[in-house]
Amino acid sequence: MFSAVLIEKGDTGQSVGVTDVDEAQLPEGDVAVDVEYSTLNYKDGLAITGKSPVVRKFPMVPGIDLAGVVTDSSHADWKKGDRVVLNGWGVGETHWGGLAQRARLNGDWLVPLPSAFTTRQAMAIGTAGYTASLCVDALLQHGVSPEQGEVLVTGATGGVGSVAIALLTAAGFKVAAATGKSSEQAYLQQLGAVTVLDRAELGEAGKPLQKERWAGVVDTAGSHTLANACAQTRYGGAVAACGLAQGMDFPATVAPFILRGVSLLGIDSVMAPKQRRLTAWERLARDLDTGALDSIARDIALGEAIAAAGELMNGKVRGRIVVDVNR
């Protein structure tokens, strides 16, 4: 038996609780893992609160991230004792996820835990930090460089935004952080932001083309924020879009793309191929100051995950939440 957050659905709707589960109930997979840490992401908040139909089958253990130790494997790449990380692949949506003490998974979904990190630090990074790394990689591959000017990060106090600021700063960029939390200016500056602006400047409908401000953008918001970010991006710049915190809509025109040569780069973390994942984790291991994780993340016990998911959906969470599933 092991403890897990379990989402169930009955005639009266969805219910969620922390319960004991028999290992025989674990889904099929060729690698068994003792989970040490998981984390709470926006998608986990949606799943646990039921605010969006993220979960595709019931019962479901949520948690799109986990880090732990292999206990049994019939997969060629993994053996007992290997330390591994998982991000995405539909885990926590269609396959039992990381908010549990045990997991059984497809070995193709796993990547090795970088030696620079503990399993706790890997989950302080989680899908949010891994997505931020994918965004930075995409901007650099597009040719965005520090000499071209500031890079804007929206949703800056969130998990993606926080890690993106730290990684961009390490890569030599000057970072402008957009946030709705003016009280967090010192936190953002500690991560490396040189400019902090109110997200309200970007959150309403704007002109199709605006003053050129940004060499690149990491956007977690979508909607008007993404449209305005594109309209303010400099000639030949790029915008990495990875989120929809403001909305899934994109009320924009083609003007930035055909008159300024701006590129909109879609960032998917869920189904990203393994090599892209390895590159992203290599950047995190190389460039992310593990000391920064202490300010980005806070730890909770498994039993606190449900309440914390509600706080996350209500915008009351700064940075990352790490879940110690064995506490």
Side-chain angles (χ1 to χ4, degrees), residues 82 84 157 172 182 196 282 290:
D82 286 342
V84 295
T157 60
S182 59
V196 178
E282 286 168 5
T290 55

Side-chain angles (χ1 to χ4, degrees), residues 26-52:
L26 285 169
E28 292 185 0
D30 52 12
V31 179
V33 176
D34 272 353
V35 181
E36 295 183 355
Y37 291 93
S38 184
T39 181
L40 282 178
N41 295 280
Y42 188 76
K43 188 176 288 186
D44 301 319
L46 292 173
I48 292 171
T49 62
K51 289 190 174 183
S52 181

